[in-house]
Amino acid sequence: MAETTEAALPKGFRSAELGWPELHRIPHPPHRVPLVGDVIGANVRSPLQDSMKFGRQLGPVFRRRAFRNEIVFVWGSDLAAELADESRFAKHVGLGIANLRPVAGDGLFTAYNHEPNWQLAHDVLAPGFSREAMEGYHPMMLAVTERLTDRWDREQAAGRTVDVPGDMTKLTLETIARTGFGHDFASFERSRPHPFVNAMVGTLTYAQRLNVVPVPLAPLLLRGASRRNAADMAYLNRTVDAVVASRRADGGEGDLLDRMLETAHPETGARLAPENIRRQVITFLIAGHETTSGALSFALHYLARHPAVAARARAEVDRVWGDTGRPGYEQVAKLRYVRRVLDESLRLWPTAPAFAREARHDTLLGGVHPMRQGAWALVLTAMLHRDPEVWGADAEEFDPDRFDAKAVRARPAHTFKPFGTGARACIGRQFALHEATLVLGLLLRRYDLAPEPGYRLRVAERLTLMPEGLRLRLERRTPVVPGREATLARAAE
């Protein structure tokens, strides 16, 4: 089989027939329409959920066509494990990810494999996610969560429900902005989302829309959207340039931005160029809050819908944290059941719902489907996490005990992938998990959560996933500290 340098791998979007010699063997939806493809029954606003529907019908490997572009989807656990093999496959930057390159360029998330800046940035920034660094971020995570609870206390006292996705977005944006870049967006002092959030959502939504519009027609069909996207990108760039300029003027704070500005690669001495620093900051501000806010929102939805699970998680918080006002860094990892709740929410709705992999050389997928070098497939994480051969016949049900330590050890590798896979997996995984577990613990200790009557989960798609229209009713509670009553009684004798 032929093998060439990684620099020669195809970049951006490549239709499947260019890389899959026996594409005809892979099933596709019925009623394909000439020229336009598999449009019957499709919804341009929910391409991921459409693909999940077709995946259930067509099996663990299938294809879909939109105009001239055909995509191979994979969700079977055996095939996904093959695609996770770094010796055979690498990250593929395509679909909506490549559409973000005008604003994120060769940032960590959107760089092509042959571009040097992703490895340089990864090596420079990795110490910023060490245990020591995480312990330093912890007090700021607590402070931002206290701003959230102040807001929720006021809403609860006024008898109002809370906007979960909106408030989780404010929380996670402030957390990454403060811990990573020493910047305060003052999100909780605003009645509406910060313009940065609106611009970010605009660019993500536009990137997704480009996937379903023929390239020659995009200037005509998306003329107005293109102008708005250009304005959104310009705003993101101006905002980040101001943050960087302020740091250069005021000096360092020992955070991620300082690493970008001051740290050279430990082996080569190379430094990140100013333009790449801008791209990395945009990447972190978007990826560092958008996916975590979705994960928290889904977890709160499931906690409100499953009172027994919430009670068990709350009892763990009361037992582990006791009457500690501000839990320490080490106490967060001890919330093992709360972490299971988070993991199970990410299983059902991984907020980064898919990742693409491309062949490093000619190969056979599953011993059946030939792939040429550079051919790629999209792994549907949300379907991989529902594979009944791995997760059982009740895979659609919410059950945090799937992440009991014994159950995790019994499962095959590469079956739970909410943060992607391989060398290009999310660098901020531990940051996100610590933040989300801390926030869930603090909210469970403070509030009883109840859903709005009649609410049914609707999932909004903008490359990432978010529960749409989710509002919860809150009741303040007093933490129950095990053994405290007996201690007080003995002291009174």
Side-chain angles (χ1 to χ4, degrees):
M1 294 186 176
E3 186 167 346
T4 60
T5 64
E6 191 156 300
L9 292 177
K11 300 185 292 291
F13 198 97
R14 295 292 185 273
S15 191
E17 61 266 18
L18 300 177
W20 296 76
E22 298 183 15
L23 189 64
H24 64 277
R25 299 176 61 186
I26 299 175
H28 63 77
H31 314 303
R32 178 168 283 188
V33 179
L35 299 181
V36 295
D38 303 315
V39 297
I40 295 177
N43 185 336
V44 295
R45 296 184 179 275
S46 56
L48 181 275
Q49 291 165 87
D50 279 354
S51 295
M52 291 173 67
K53 176 185 67 178
F54 289 126
R56 293 184 181 99
Q57 297 170 1
L58 299 171
V61 56
F62 65 99
R63 56 191 167 115
R64 294 184 67 188
R65 174 178 285 275
F67 297 97
R68 296 169 60 186
N69 295 321
E70 187 137 21
I71 309 165
V72 173
F73 295 85
V74 169
W75 60 266
S77 56
D78 291 344
L79 299 178
E82 278 194 55
L83 290 166
D85 182 349
E86 286 284 293
S87 69
R88 295 173 59 199
F89 297 94
K91 173 172 178 168
H92 176 78
V93 177
L95 297 169
I97 308 305
N99 295 336
L100 289 173
R101 282 182 60 88
V103 66
D106 56 351
L108 277 169
F109 187 53
T110 46
Y112 294 123
N113 293 315
H114 69 277
E115 292 179 311
N117 274 331
W118 82 260
Q119 188 70 64
L120 171 60
H122 184 279
D123 293 347
V124 166
L125 292 170
F129 296 98
S130 66
R131 184 195 178 285
E132 181 182 8
M134 291 292 302
E135 196 164 1
Y137 303 147
H138 179 79
M140 286 183 275
M141 292 181 178
L142 279 168
V144 175
T145 308
E146 286 167 359
R147 291 164 72 178
L148 169 73
T149 55
D150 286 347
R151 179 185 183 89
W152 278 21
D153 285 351
R154 293 192 297 271
E155 297 297 287
Q156 186 273 328
R160 293 188 290 263
T161 59
V162 293
D163 171 10
V164 174
D167 287 343
M168 291 305 105
T169 295
K170 292 178 179 180
L171 171 90
T172 56
L173 176 62
E174 292 299 332
T175 299
I176 187 60
R178 291 190 61 184
T179 58
F181 310 105
H183 185 74
D184 190 337
F185 282 99
S187 297
F188 288 106
E189 287 68 54
R190 296 172 175 269
S191 58
R192 296 181 177 181
H194 191 281
F196 185 92
V197 173
N198 292 331
M200 175 210 70
V201 171
T203 58
L204 292 174
T205 302
Y206 182 78
Q208 179 156 294
R209 289 185 68 186
L210 283 177
N211 294 336
V212 295
V213 175
V215 173
L217 298 180
L220 176 64
L221 297 180
L222 298 179
R223 183 181 302 168
S226 296
R227 286 196 297 269
R228 289 191 297 273
N229 184 62
D232 288 338
M233 290 193 299
Y235 182 83
L236 295 176
N237 287 336
R238 288 197 306 273
T239 301
V240 170
D241 287 348
V243 171
V244 174
S246 175
R247 175 60 56 84
R248 290 188 187 277
D250 297 339
E253 297 191 13
D255 54 16
L256 294 177
L257 183 53
D258 274 355
R259 288 190 168 277
M260 295 181 194
L261 292 170
E262 306 295 339
T263 304
H265 191 280
E267 296 178 3
T268 68
R271 293 177 179 268
L272 294 174
E275 183 181 29
N276 187 258
I277 290 173
R278 173 207 275 174
R279 291 169 171 175
Q280 303 294 359
V281 174
I282 288 175
T283 296
F284 273 103
L285 285 174
I286 294 178
H289 94 271
E290 172 74 358
T291 51
T292 309
S293 62
L296 280 165
S297 298
F298 282 114
L300 289 167
H301 164 75
Y302 284 115
L303 285 166
R305 287 287 174 179
H306 295 82
V309 170
R312 185 175 168 187
R314 187 175 291 115
E316 178 184 65
V317 176
D318 289 342
R319 182 180 71 254
V320 172
W321 288 359
D323 55 3
T324 301
R326 304 180 95 228
Y329 173 80
E330 297 284 357
Q331 289 179 289
V332 176
K334 295 178 180 178
L335 296 182
R336 293 182 175 87
Y337 187 74
V338 173
R339 171 64 184 275
R340 289 183 214 168
V341 170
L342 178 63
D343 284 344
E344 177 68 348
S345 302
L346 283 168
R347 181 186 73 83
L348 286 169
W349 293 109
T351 47
F355 57 93
R357 302 286 285 172
E358 66 184 26
R360 293 183 182 273
H361 49 74
D362 293 357
T363 189
L364 279 177
L365 182 65
V368 175
H369 301 290
M371 299 175 67
R372 296 189 179 103
Q373 180 190 13
W376 65 278
L378 191 67
V379 179
L380 285 177
T381 316
M383 284 297 292
L384 170 65
H385 291 178
R386 288 170 163 82
D387 187 343
E389 293 188 7
V390 174
W391 303 97
D394 64 343
E396 297 284 346
E397 301 300 318
F398 178 78
D399 180 7
D401 282 335
R402 297 181 202 276
F403 289 91
D404 173 88
K406 183 177 179 181
V408 171
R409 288 193 297 269
R411 274 194 297 275
H414 305 299
T415 55
F416 183 60
K417 293 287 186 179
F419 296 95
T421 193
R424 302 287 301 275
C426 176
I427 192 175
R429 172 180 178 173
Q430 294 306 320
F431 181 100
L433 291 172
H434 181 86
E435 176 190 5
T437 305
L438 170 66
V439 171
L440 289 178
L442 291 169
L443 296 181
L444 282 164
R445 182 163 73 165
R446 195 175 189 88
Y447 306 107
D448 287 319
L449 310 169
E452 281 191 309
Y455 177 78
R456 296 186 63 182
L457 181 62
R458 303 184 304 278
V459 178
E461 300 184 25
R462 53 196 190 208
L463 289 184
T464 59
L465 304 182
M466 182 75 77
E468 185 176 5
L470 175 63
R471 303 189 71 89
L472 296 179
R473 290 184 290 113
L474 308 175
E475 290 294 335
R476 282 295 302 273
R477 66 181 294 271
T478 302
V480 177
V481 182
R484 185 179 184 185
E485 291 81 0
T487 302
L488 292 174
R490 286 194 297 271
E493 291 177 355

